[in-house]
């Protein structure tokens, strides 16, 4: 175990201390953490398997659901294994390169996740507001192109984060009060000027906020279109097609908004509350989203039951 006893003075490592103030409860906290992670993995891998296996599910909505599953697997896997190493084995050391790599995959996955949710809102908008042209507007090939654009956007926007930090001189105290290498938590370890890092981090947050704004605009147009429908049966059917996506957003964005606002403006919030919510943001949506779509989509549910 001596090989794992990194010290803050080691110039090649950072020390992730987990949840400050709750070190004694790390093992207890790891129980729901690992359960959420395993349930999320099983659910999302099941969705991927069923959608890829069944030709009848090769439709825009299910392809987007597969993209969502991939982003949720990648983001949760980028933080949970290291967090469990901290909680179970007290392995708190992480190399600078490992920290920056984790940061890249974490933030790129989050931005990709936001782009997929925005595309899903577009899918629902076209399905309700322009149903006769839905099959020609949102083809599988177009969904693949939109997914590729979302991936390129996530990589291009996220890549400067680790590159900017790799040029920073870090102080002797390299203790990060977190379970993973969050951008600003690492930037605060620098002895240099981090104004550019702060501005770029804010810009990335604004990109995600712009996605949320476009989602809200899409649903505003959807609600306007639904209110113009005279038939109550059609009215109800149109709203039901959006229920699953709305539930997915309600599992994702409230935790994201709390985590973002608490990090920048919540000086009165205790660190362990902020860190717990930051971890839940990467665990609750991956666990619940496959369940939500499984319940709301009879077609998907039937195929999952078939293979199970």
């Amino acid at each position: 175990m001596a090989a794992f006893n990194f010290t803050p003075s080691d110039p090649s490592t950072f020390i992730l201390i987990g949840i400050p103030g709750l070190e004694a409860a790390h093992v207890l906290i790891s129980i729901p953490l690992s359960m959420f992670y395993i349930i999320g993995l099983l659910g999302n891998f099941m969705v991927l398997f069923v959608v890829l296996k069944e030709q009848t599910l090769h439709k825009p909505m299910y392809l987007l659901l597969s993209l969502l599953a991939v982003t949720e697997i990648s983001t949760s896997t980028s933080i949970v294994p290291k967090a469990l190493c901290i909680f179970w084995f007290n392995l708190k050391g992480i190399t600078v390169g490992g920290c920056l790599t984790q940061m890249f995959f974490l933030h790129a996955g989050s931005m990709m996740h936001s782009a997929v949710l925005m595309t899903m809102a577009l899918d629902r908008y076209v399905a309700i507001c322009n149903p006769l042209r839905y099959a020609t507007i949102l083809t599988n090939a177009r969904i693949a192109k939109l997914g590729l654009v979302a991936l390129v956007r996530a990589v291009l926007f996220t890549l400067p984060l680790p590159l900017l930090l790799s040029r920073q001189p870090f102080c002797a105290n390299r203790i990060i009060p977190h379970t993973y290498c969050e951008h600003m938590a690492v930037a605060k370890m620098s002895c240099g000027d981090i104004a550019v890092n702060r501005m770029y981090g804010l810009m990335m947050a604004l990109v995600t906020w712009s996605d949320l704004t476009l989602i809200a605009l899409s649903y505003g147009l959807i609600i306007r279109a639904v209110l113009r429908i005279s038939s109550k049966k059609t009215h109800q059917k149109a709203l039901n097609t959006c229920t699953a996506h709305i539930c997915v957003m309600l599992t994702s964005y409230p935790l994201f908004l709390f985590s973002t606002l608490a990090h920048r403006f919540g000086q009165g919030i205790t660190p362990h509350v902020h860190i717990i919510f930051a971890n839940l943001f990467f665990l609750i949506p991956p666990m619940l989203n496959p369940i939500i779509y499984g319940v709301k989509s009879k077609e998907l549910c039937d195929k999952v039951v078939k293979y199970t």
Side-chain angles (χ1 to χ4, degrees), residues 13 78 98 112 126 220 223 236 250 259 261 298:
T13 62
S78 67
M112 180 78 178
V126 176
I223 291 170
Q236 189 65 35
L250 290 175
S259 182
L261 295 175
K298 186 177 185 303

Side-chain angles (χ1 to χ4, degrees), residues 126-173:
V126 176
I128 291 173
C129 298
N130 205 345
L132 297 179
R133 296 186 60 201
Y134 176 80
T136 57
I137 294 174
L138 287 179
T139 61
N140 289 351
R142 192 157 289 167
I143 291 297
K145 290 176 183 177
L146 288 172
L148 182 61
V149 169
L151 177 62
V152 171
R153 184 190 80 153
V155 171
L156 292 180
F157 271 97
T158 308
L159 195 57
L161 289 181
L163 292 179
L164 286 171
L165 282 174
S166 67
R167 299 167 61 89
Q168 288 286 345
F170 290 103
C171 304
N173 181 14

Side-chain angles (χ1 to χ4, degrees), residues 17-78:
I17 65 172
I19 304 177
L22 295 178
E23 289 86 354
H26 274 178
V27 174
L28 288 176
I29 294 171
S30 72
I31 296 172
L33 187 82
S34 56
M35 286 178 62
F36 293 164
Y37 177 60
I38 292 169
I39 294 170
L41 282 184
L42 290 175
N44 283 293
F45 274 120
M46 176 60 79
V47 167
L48 282 174
F49 173 77
V50 171
V51 172
L52 292 174
K53 194 80 172 173
E54 284 291 331
Q55 289 289 331
T56 57
L57 296 182
H58 289 183
K59 302 174 184 177
M61 185 178 77
Y62 296 111
L63 294 180
L64 287 171
L65 185 56
S66 298
L67 281 176
L68 189 69
V70 170
T71 62
E72 290 177 342
I73 290 169
S74 64
T75 51
S76 60
T77 301
S78 67

Side-chain angles (χ1 to χ4, degrees), residues 15-34 79-80 82-88 90-92 175-180 269-280 283:
I15 307 298
L16 292 166
I17 65 172
I19 304 177
L22 295 178
E23 289 86 354
H26 274 178
V27 174
L28 288 176
I29 294 171
S30 72
I31 296 172
L33 187 82
S34 56
I79 66 167
V80 174
K82 179 58 185 175
L84 293 178
C85 285
I86 296 169
F87 294 161
W88 289 345
N90 205 34
L91 301 180
K92 299 181 179 182
I175 298 176
I176 302 174
H178 218 303
T179 55
Y180 59 85
I269 300 175
T270 54
H272 67 265
V273 172
H274 174 220
I275 292 170
I276 288 171
F277 272 91
N279 280 273
L280 290 177
L283 288 170

